[in-house]
Amino acid sequence: MKVKATVAVLVAVLVVYLALALNRAVILLRTGDPVLIALGVGMVLLPVLGGWLIWLEIKFGRATERLADELAAEGGLPVDDLPRRPSGRVVREAADERFRERQAEVEAAPEDWRRWFRLSLAYDDAGDRRRARQAARKAIALRNDLGDARTGHNQ
């Protein structure tokens, strides 16, 4: 719940910032000066781009949360039992071993979204956030391809 509150506060602050930037952009667009108009156009595009990126991140977060909830309800969410250093970081050797196990699971059933999601958690434990996100996206895509068995619609 702390994470959701933090995200909500950050999004609210960013929305205020984007609104102020958009306001300044309108002022620049009304000047009639070609250079200032060009800057104004750039300032309009930045809030649009920022809003779109925020939306993508929120959408990704909600999708991964749904997968984690579904996997937990099935009893398939892995237990966080890896040894940790005093700093709280996972011991690298243990994370690497867990990663190898999860990678073998995915290779055995590459169309199983559950295995891809667990692989994403193993990547995250190993500190490879980029590949963790890629594996999570793959899990989301595979899960969405299955659709909702109750309604026949994709999520």
Side-chain angles (χ1 to χ4, degrees):
M1 194 62 177
K2 248 180 159 176
V3 172
K4 285 184 180 180
T6 301
V7 168
V9 168
L10 290 174
V11 167
V13 168
L14 191 55
V15 165
V16 169
Y17 170 77
L18 294 176
L20 291 171
L22 194 56
N23 180 41
R24 297 295 180 212
V26 170
I27 291 169
L28 290 173
L29 290 171
R30 290 183 179 168
T31 63
D33 182 348
V35 174
L36 294 178
I37 290 173
L39 285 172
V41 169
M43 287 185 73
V44 167
L45 293 178
L46 285 176
V48 170
L49 178 63
W52 180 65
L53 291 174
I54 290 169
W55 170 247
L56 288 178
E57 285 303 307
I58 289 172
K59 187 176 167 185
F60 175 75
R62 290 178 65 193
T64 56
E65 183 177 26
R66 274 195 311 272
L67 293 187
D69 290 346
E70 186 174 341
L71 203 54
E74 296 173 353
L77 198 61
V79 178
D80 184 10
D81 60 354
L82 293 174
R84 297 188 178 272
R85 298 190 188 286
S87 64
R89 295 182 71 120
V90 173
V91 173
R92 181 64 187 233
E93 294 76 22
D96 289 346
E97 178 60 32
R98 176 74 46 90
F99 169 77
R100 284 189 287 279
E101 293 169 11
R102 300 294 183 228
Q103 189 175 32
E105 290 175 4
V106 166
E107 289 169 358
E111 297 304 314
D112 185 350
W113 70 264
R114 293 163 184 86
R115 293 177 188 221
W116 277 99
F117 189 78
R118 287 189 288 262
L119 178 64
S120 76
L121 297 174
Y123 270 125
D124 191 55
D125 286 337
D128 191 342
R129 298 286 157 80
R130 184 179 60 82
R131 287 194 177 116
R133 290 176 70 85
Q134 287 175 343
R137 283 188 189 99
K138 177 73 173 178
I140 292 165
L142 288 170
R143 176 63 183 94
N144 287 343
D145 285 347
L146 294 176
D148 187 343
R150 294 169 296 203
T151 65
H153 293 95
N154 287 345
Q155 291 185 12

